[in-house]
């Protein structure tokens, strides 16, 4: 065998090993998601969002016929998909559809990485890193951040790809606005693309077209849903969180930011290492560095309103791109490069370990028990009557129950006030709760008048007995799930 043949064989083997690595590593990242699709229980947020979808599918209009605290685009897309496939209450299908969107986000991230002059090999690892860290920071559930990212990242990709064209930015603006119309925090992509445009030679034309394009879908949805304006800034959701923060303004903001940053950096410590080497990036490429840091800092503002792990999903794409963008410019012969790779491997390894630990920890029968419990509750309700779930530990049952909520609102969490909580209890035909209230799971709303009202309801049915052990007394507690029939209304 001559030297040319040997060289071809080596190259061929290298290609095969790379392909094998690409397939195996992708599977390693994807399997926990598949496991979640099959076994993850219905989450609180997922139950809320999918209940909205079912109300739309029943012919009701959001904001007019029922309360919706988010912009409506993704609810209508999901309703369309479920109608297209004639699917009813099926959380596995819902998560599967959601995961298809997650995969599209991953592909867009790869394409953005290539546009930023990151090698295709590293761009692949950007995408896998995103999948791994996304699953690590929050359990996989049906939420709005991922579809919001789809539109935002698509707009960024087009803005990078066609940075020398102007008319295209009408489309860029329209797509970017769909991120906002999916979830209000998607507004951040508007400012990120403005930053990108500022570096382009045709920036004034592009800015004009971008702003026109951005407002076309918003105006369309505003005309379709005149009452939608109330949710542009969260319908009080974000404002209430901000109010709580403003109590001691500087201290609370600093505390929340530090808590959120600490949680994130414990999982991605290499981000701090990457910041040290920004100076290695050539000056003509640093606009991408500052763009990514702006994306991270901008979406960190969410944590001023509330500290929820899933808010970090907006940040991970920018962190993933930043880490591998810096790696692109670290000389491979330097010890720093080897240290960087070693830290990356540690982060990858920790993410894989944690993801599989979380995925395999699922109780395979929990989703089935949720559905069975919902069926048992419906059997004890008169058809067409309304329900209010008073304890957040049971909110996950709204979706499998698929009944009308009290006052046509599923509100829980930060927007729930004691006044609204009491009103919902009073107007509901049926109220679902535990026999042993927990102030945290009542949003600290278990006031004296709420307690008194429950005592006045004599018609109640024990739906289920869920036993637990008190950590302090070590005694077994019977946490009965109780359905109250509001005898003030019947």
């Amino acid at each position: 065998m001559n030297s040319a043949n040997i060289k071809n064989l080596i190259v061929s083997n290298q290609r095969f090993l790379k392909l094998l690595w690409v397939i195996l590593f992708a599977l390693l990242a994807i399997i926990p998601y598949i496991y979640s699709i099959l076994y993850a229980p219905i989450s609180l947020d997922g139950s809320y969002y999918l209940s909205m979808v079912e109300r739309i599918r029943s012919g009701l209009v959001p904001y007019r016929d029922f309360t919706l605290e988010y912009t409506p685009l993704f609810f209508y897309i999901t309703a369309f998909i479920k109608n297209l496939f004639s699917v009813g209450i099926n959380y596995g299908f819902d998560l599967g559809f959601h995961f298809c969107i997650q995969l599209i986000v991953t592909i867009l991230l790869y394409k953005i990485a290539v546009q930023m002059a990151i090698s295709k090999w590293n761009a692949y690892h950007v995408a896998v890193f995103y999948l791994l860290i996304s699953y690590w920071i929050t359990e996989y559930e049906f939420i709005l951040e991922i579809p919001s990212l789809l539109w935002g990242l698509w707009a960024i990709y087009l803005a990078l790809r066609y940075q020398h064209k102007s008319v295209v930015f009408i489309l860029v603006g329209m797509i970017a606005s769909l991120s906002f119309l999916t979830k209000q925090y998607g507004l951040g992509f508007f400012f990120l693309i403005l930053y990108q445009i500022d570096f382009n030679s045709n920036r004034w034309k592009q800015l004009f077209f971008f702003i026109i394009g951005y407002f076309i879908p918003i105006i369309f949805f505003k005309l379709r849903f005149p009452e939608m304006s109330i949710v542009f800034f969260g319908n009080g959701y974000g404002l209430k969180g901000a109010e709580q923060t403003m109590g001691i303004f500087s201290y609370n903001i600093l505390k929340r930011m530090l808590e959120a940053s600490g949680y994130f950096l414990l999982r991605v410590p290499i981000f701090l290492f990457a910041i040290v080497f920004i100076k290695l990036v050539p000056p003509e490429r640093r606009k991408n560095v500052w763009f990514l840091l702006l994306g991270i800092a901008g979406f960190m503002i969410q944590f001023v309103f509330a500290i929820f792990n899933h808010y970090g999903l907006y940040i991970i794409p920018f962190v993933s791109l930043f880490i591998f963008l810096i790696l692109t410019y670290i000389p491979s012969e330097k010890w720093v490069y080897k240290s960087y790779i070693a830290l990356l491997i540690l982060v990858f390894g920790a993410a894989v370990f944690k993801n599989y630990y979380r995925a395999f920890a699922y109780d395979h029968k929990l989703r089935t028990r949720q559905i069975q419990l919902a069926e048992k509750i419906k059997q004890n309700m008169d058809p067409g009557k309304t329900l209010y779930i008073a304890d957040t530990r049971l909110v996950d049952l709204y979706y499998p129950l698929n009944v009308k909520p009290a006052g046509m609102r599923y509100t829980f969490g930060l927007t729930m006030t004691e006044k609204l909580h009491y009103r919902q209890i009073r107007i509901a035909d049926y109220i679902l709760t535990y026999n042993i209230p927990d102030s945290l799971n009542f949003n600290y709303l278990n006031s004296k008048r709420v307690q008194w009202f429950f005592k006045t309801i004599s018609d109640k049915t024990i739906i289920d007995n869920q036993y637990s052990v008190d950590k302090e007394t070590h005694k077994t507690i019977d946490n009965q799930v109780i359905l109250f029939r509001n005898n003030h209304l019947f």
Side-chain angles (χ1 to χ4, degrees), residues 398-425:
Y398 267 133
Y399 176 50
L401 278 165
N402 196 25
V403 296
K404 291 182 179 180
M408 293 309 294
R409 64 191 309 157
Y410 292 95
T411 306
F412 75 99
L414 286 177
T415 47
M416 180 60 73
T417 63
E418 192 277 342
K419 182 179 179 181
L420 178 57
H421 182 60
Y422 182 60
R423 176 183 177 274
Q424 293 291 87
I425 290 170

Side-chain angles (χ1 to χ4, degrees), residues 49 70-71 73-74 98 101-102 105 109 112 130 133-135 137-138 143-154 156 175-190 192 214 232 237 264 271 291-303 305-306 308-322:
Y49 298 139
Y70 296 90
T71 39
L73 177 63
F74 190 59
H98 192 271
I101 296 172
Q102 178 81 304
V105 169
L109 202 54
I112 290 170
Y130 161 75
I133 302 302
S134 294
Y135 193 93
I137 68 165
T138 184
I143 48 180
L144 300 180
E145 279 77 7
I146 301 301
S148 179
L149 274 174
L150 182 148
W151 303 114
L153 293 179
W154 189 7
I156 287 172
I175 292 172
S177 74
L178 298 183
S179 180
F180 168 75
L181 289 168
T182 297
K183 187 171 184 179
Q184 291 91 318
Y185 289 150
L187 179 65
F189 288 103
F190 174 81
L192 285 173
Y214 195 88
F232 277 175
Y237 180 84
F264 196 79
F271 175 70
F291 169 77
L292 296 174
L293 290 176
L294 180 63
I296 293 165
F299 283 113
M300 282 289 291
I301 294 172
Q302 299 169 96
F303 296 114
F305 305 119
F308 295 131
N309 292 351
H310 57 267
Y311 283 1
L313 293 172
Y314 275 116
I315 299 168
I316 297 167
F318 301 97
V319 171
S320 300
L321 286 163
F322 180 77

Side-chain angles (χ1 to χ4, degrees), residues 163-170 197 200-213:
Q163 59 187 290
H164 300 300
K165 297 184 178 180
S166 297
V167 178
V168 172
F169 277 80
I170 293 179
I197 289 173
N200 297 343
S201 56
N202 297 327
R203 59 179 174 273
W204 294 113
K205 279 187 178 180
Q206 291 175 354
L207 178 64
F208 174 74
F209 287 125
F210 174 69
I211 291 175
I212 287 177

Side-chain angles (χ1 to χ4, degrees), residues 14 31 92 137 176 186 237 273 308 362:
Q14 287 176 339
I31 286 172
I137 68 165
Y237 180 84
F273 195 30
F308 295 131
Y362 283 130

Side-chain angles (χ1 to χ4, degrees), residues 250-266 300 303-304 307:
S250 58
Y251 171 76
N252 280 335
I253 283 185
L254 181 63
K255 184 172 180 286
R256 286 189 176 189
M257 286 297 192
L258 287 175
E259 285 178 8
S261 301
Y263 177 85
F264 196 79
L265 289 174
L266 279 173
M300 282 289 291
F303 296 114
V304 170
I307 300 180

Side-chain angles (χ1 to χ4, degrees), residues 457-476:
I457 303 177
S458 57
D459 190 346
K460 61 182 182 180
T461 304
I462 297 173
I463 299 295
D464 192 35
N465 295 81
Q466 298 179 357
Y467 298 99
S468 63
V469 177
D470 187 275
K471 292 181 180 179
E472 295 183 3
T473 64
H474 302 290
K475 292 182 178 180
T476 301

